[in-house]
Amino acid sequence: MEDIQRQLRAIPSMDKLLALALAQPEMAAIPHAVLVRFLRQTIDEIRRQILDKQLSEISAEVILAQLREILGQAMKPSLKRVINATGVVLHTNLGRAPLSARARERLLDIAEGYSTLEYDVTRGERGSRYSHVASQICALTGAEAAIVVNNNAAAVMLVLSALACGREVIVSRGQLVEIGGSFRVPDVLRQSGAFLIEVGTTNKTHNKDYEQAIGPNTAAILKVHTSNYRIIGFTAQPSDEELVQLAHRHNLPVIDDLGSGTLVPLTADGWREPTVNERLVAGVDVVTFSCDKLFGGAQAGIIAGKKEYIARMQKHPLLRAIRIDKLCLAAIEGTLLDYAVGDPLSDIPVQSMLHTAPAELEERAQRLAADINTLDCGYEVAVISIHSQAGGGALPAANLDGYGVSLKTSKLSTAAFEEKLRNQATPVIVRIYDDQIIFDVRCLSDRDLTKICDILASFDNGVTK
Ligand SMILES: *Cc1c(COP(=O)(O)O)cnc(C)c1O
């Protein structure tokens, strides 16, 4: 008891602790009031530890160390950068598309100040946020009109609400897709107020199936990109030409949820993603696609197509609830510039990662392996040829030829190793294959390679030796 009283009395005064904290270089810039608040929290914690007999020695150093810890926790962001060594280029859990230099530049510029978001400077009156990128999208896709909303899920919802609420929408049974994050075509349709009319079977849908389903209450035919599965074998879908002719004969629009939607042709492993322009040229009336998938930009959804349909969406009350924010809009404008005046295959990170030649990936993997060997930390290292994935609902099941570095150490199990990599200040997300850590180098920049080596070196020095 005496001991506890003595220890409690040994806690220095707030003034003293504050002066001491302010003398620390890393705390000097923190406002006084904030430091006082965190010091109080630290002292409360110290008192608790004394009463619980967890602390034997009280000193200013002990208190400062705990303050540093508490401050560090408070300042640590939850949303952090990670190093993507999975080889999945469009990894939804890892934030999909990294932004290009132009996109980042537009984003920073607009984030810093006021903007013409909804202001028409030539007329000096209210403008529309939807005006900024529409003409570029039309120029790049050949659409008559376009509108950008919060994401592609919202885009599909708006299209269906505006064109089909209270009426029927015909969808092939082979395309009743569920993508991650609970986006399921039947549920989205129901939410929009439209009624789903399923036609055909899982593997085969014929033009006559669509034809027989058309009635007085039909509003549209909806096609959905089978983003995360493939139906192969004994399969059939009508040609675009047939389907478009059928729909237009009945004055119905064909809507196509492209999911990823690419502006430039993309082929891999014998598969090909149709471009947005190709879909529109084929006669599809309205297409929707994500801006943070193959397009390679910030989160948004683009609706492009015939003017008469887009005009109905522009007037729909749902649009206000799913409107795009200015930061995404600014970034999207930067990415559109990459397509319009840049070299999209090298300027847009997603495109460049998808198009990196295997020889370049092999060279990168060899560089990483050599650098890890130079650390001389006893890692077993090998360069291996592997397959990466596009991800993000593009080229489902297509294998992209690539290279990786496999790693093993006798000091840690593969599972423990993977966990340590994941728990770094900059987490490294890897693949595990055949009980080995695999760094797929497709999505790794030179900076990432250096960082990985630094982390591997620190393991050996600090923890496992
Ligand atoms: C990804 C995807 C969506 C959802 O797009 P978000 O931009 O993530 O909202 C919708 N439909 C398909 C077919 C998709 O692949």
Side-chain angles (χ1 to χ4, degrees), residues 66 118 164 178 199 238 285 296 341 361 378 413 417 451 456:
Q66 295 209 10
E118 291 189 350
E178 167 175 330
V199 294
D285 300 276
V341 301
L361 296 172
S413 74
F417 198 173
K451 184 92 195 162
L456 290 175

Side-chain angles (χ1 to χ4, degrees), residues 96 151-154 156 179 183 224-225 227 257-260 290 292-293 300 392-393:
R96 292 191 183 160
N151 56 18
N152 186 37
V156 175
I179 62 154
F183 179 95
V224 186
H225 186 268
S227 290
D257 172 10
L258 283 178
S260 231
S290 284
D292 53 356
K293 292 184 180 173

Side-chain angles (χ1 to χ4, degrees), residues 11 73 85 150 178 367 412:
I11 299 175
Q73 280 299 328
N150 199 27
E178 167 175 330
R367 206 146 33 92
L412 274 176

